[in-house]
Amino acid sequence: GDSYKHVEPAIEKPPTDVSLFRRCKNLLASRFATYQALASIRSLRRNFGELPEVDQEHQLAVEAATICGGGYWQSLGQAQFFRNNPEAWDECAAMMRFVLQAFRDETNKLNTSFQLVVLPTLRQVHPETDSLAYDAAVEHLQLTEHDLQVDDRAAELVVRLAGDLQISLVDMREPLLAAFQHDKSHELYWRFDHHLNIYGHQVLAEHLLPILAKEFQKRATSNPE
């Protein structure tokens, strides 16, 4: 319906009639490209069965991640997903609201505060990093400029939800962008996985420290014991 609740996943036991050989084969087929390559050899396929039907979107994802791993896992994966499933955006937004509200309510019960921090992606701060590989992956996935706006849309969604739910929020998009523009000799993200590097974490820490210190001071004043 229109609400969500946390449910522990059911533990499913594998069918007892599936042989150890079949279970190993299924595991290899689902997780290792080497298996797919070997299964494409006709003589081996006759002995080990036909290669399962390939999901084209999954295949594109694997290839794009090979071209630009960090860019795919941080940005292009969700761009690909919402390109193919635009109707899922509203459902994801509702689930995000549910999660943020749960965090807010739990921290209120503990008489503490919930500080939400929005971290931009590498592409939002210094998009020139790995631009050739990133652009090649974009072309391979045939993503449009509209598809690539998903990073901004996601950040704006979180900002809006924080306002609706009265959750304290720090938006690090402008501070990180300003820090990089001020000194471009230091990129703020690792190239291999597009996460914040030591310089990016330093900017984050310098920005958050006074905010956290103010919160601690406020609590110390209201609870002197």
Side-chain angles (χ1 to χ4, degrees):
D2 296 328
S3 62
Y4 299 89
K5 64 179 180 178
H6 177 74
V7 179
E8 292 296 333
I11 299 177
E12 296 183 4
K13 296 182 178 180
T16 55
D17 59 341
V18 177
S19 67
L20 177 62
F21 172 79
R22 174 64 65 177
R23 290 201 296 271
C24 291
K25 176 185 173 184
N26 292 341
L27 175 66
L28 292 173
S30 64
R31 300 194 179 185
F32 296 98
T34 304
Y35 177 92
Q36 308 290 352
L38 292 173
S40 66
I41 301 175
R42 183 173 301 176
S43 60
L44 292 177
R45 192 167 64 246
R46 282 199 300 267
N47 294 321
F48 291 95
E50 292 297 322
L51 185 67
E53 183 178 350
V54 176
D55 183 297
Q56 293 300 321
E57 286 298 326
H58 174 72
Q59 186 64 31
L60 280 174
V62 171
E63 293 165 356
T66 301
I67 296 170
C68 185
Y72 182 81
W73 297 118
Q74 188 178 78
S75 299
L76 299 181
Q78 62 181 1
Q80 179 190 22
F81 174 80
F82 286 114
R83 186 269 309 275
N84 298 329
N85 305 277
E87 73 287 350
W89 182 266
D90 290 341
E91 182 178 0
C92 290
M95 295 174 72
M96 177 64 75
R97 176 184 288 273
F98 170 80
V99 170
L100 292 180
Q101 185 171 336
F103 268 99
R104 183 202 63 186
D105 294 345
E106 288 298 316
T107 51
N108 285 341
K109 290 178 184 177
L110 297 172
N111 193 31
T112 187
S113 60
F114 175 31
Q115 185 70 63
L116 186 62
V117 180
V118 174
L119 296 177
T121 63
L122 177 148
R123 304 300 305 174
Q124 292 172 295
V125 177
H126 43 81
E128 58 269 31
T129 299
D130 283 345
S131 59
L132 291 178
Y134 182 87
D135 291 344
V138 168
E139 182 177 358
H140 189 74
L141 292 169
Q142 297 184 328
L143 297 172
T144 66
E145 284 299 320
H146 173 74
D147 298 329
L148 298 177
Q149 292 172 4
V150 69
D151 288 354
D152 294 326
R153 291 176 63 203
E156 291 299 328
L157 170 65
V158 174
V159 170
R160 187 176 73 253
L161 290 176
D164 292 345
L165 298 172
Q166 297 183 319
I167 295 173
S168 180
L169 177 136
V170 177
D171 190 345
M172 288 299 300
R173 287 179 292 177
E174 283 299 325
L176 283 165
L177 182 59
F180 179 67
Q181 293 296 328
H182 177 71
D183 180 9
K184 291 190 175 183
S185 65
H186 289 137
E187 294 181 351
L188 304 180
Y189 294 76
W190 297 113
R191 290 180 174 237
F192 68 92
D193 66 358
H194 289 209
H195 289 303
L196 287 174
N197 61 18
I198 54 176
Y199 300 111
H201 277 100
Q202 181 177 353
V203 174
L204 177 63
E206 291 174 350
H207 195 81
L208 291 181
L209 181 58
I211 297 174
L212 295 177
K214 183 178 180 180
E215 179 67 22
F216 286 135
Q217 182 63 37
K218 183 177 69 175
R219 290 184 172 277
T221 302
S222 59
N223 299 285
E225 71 278 1

